[in-house]
Amino acid sequence: MDLYICEKPSQAKDLAQVLRISKRAEGYLHDGGDRMVTWAFGHLLELDMPDAYDPALKSWNMETLPIAPDQWRYHVKKSGAKQFKVIKELLGKANQVFIATDHDREEKPLPGR
């Protein structure tokens, strides 16, 4: 199965239209065969707060800064839990994954352009 992951629902709708994918399911669109389009929205994951690593870091002070754990931890935001589960299940079925996010805002122009 080919899975296309878009940044937001409106982008997924546009891509699905171009790919002629029109069947709706909970959290994704599909063609009834081997192509599916899903989406994220905002940030589905967020970094754990410092006190999740060590309760002593709940109050920040100059002695404990900077906070740089060996391995950063994150969790699924409550508002994104349902869609995260959809994406995770679809990833488990996919043979190919196409990241179709909007690069324009993150792309920085080269000097002189």
Side-chain angles (χ1 to χ4, degrees):
M1 171 190 73
D2 291 346
L3 175 62
Y4 298 83
I5 301 177
C6 295
E7 189 169 343
K8 52 193 166 205
S10 61
Q11 185 187 28
K13 182 181 173 188
D14 292 344
L15 178 61
Q17 185 175 7
V18 170
L19 296 173
R20 293 189 164 98
I21 295 173
S22 60
K23 294 184 168 107
R24 294 184 164 274
E26 188 66 39
Y28 66 98
L29 301 161
H30 63 96
D31 65 357
D34 62 349
R35 294 183 308 156
M36 300 189 179
V37 178
T38 190
W39 54 85
F41 49 85
H43 297 276
L44 298 178
L45 302 174
E46 59 186 19
L47 288 171
D48 284 354
M49 294 302 290
D51 60 321
Y53 297 92
D54 181 349
L57 297 174
K58 188 166 183 113
S59 279
W60 295 6
N61 61 57
M62 293 304 290
E63 290 77 36
T64 61
L65 295 175
I67 299 168
D70 292 331
Q71 184 171 358
W72 293 97
R73 297 190 308 218
Y74 56 88
H75 60 276
V76 178
K77 289 173 62 171
K78 286 183 183 182
S79 62
K82 188 174 178 182
Q83 189 64 18
F84 182 84
K85 183 179 177 185
V86 168
I87 294 170
K88 186 175 179 180
E89 287 176 8
L90 293 174
L91 283 169
K93 298 175 186 176
N95 297 322
Q96 291 190 89
V97 177
F98 299 91
I99 305 300
T101 57
D102 180 7
H103 75 285
D104 289 343
R105 284 183 282 156
E106 287 78 15
E107 183 178 318
K108 294 183 180 173
L110 296 172
R113 285 194 172 180

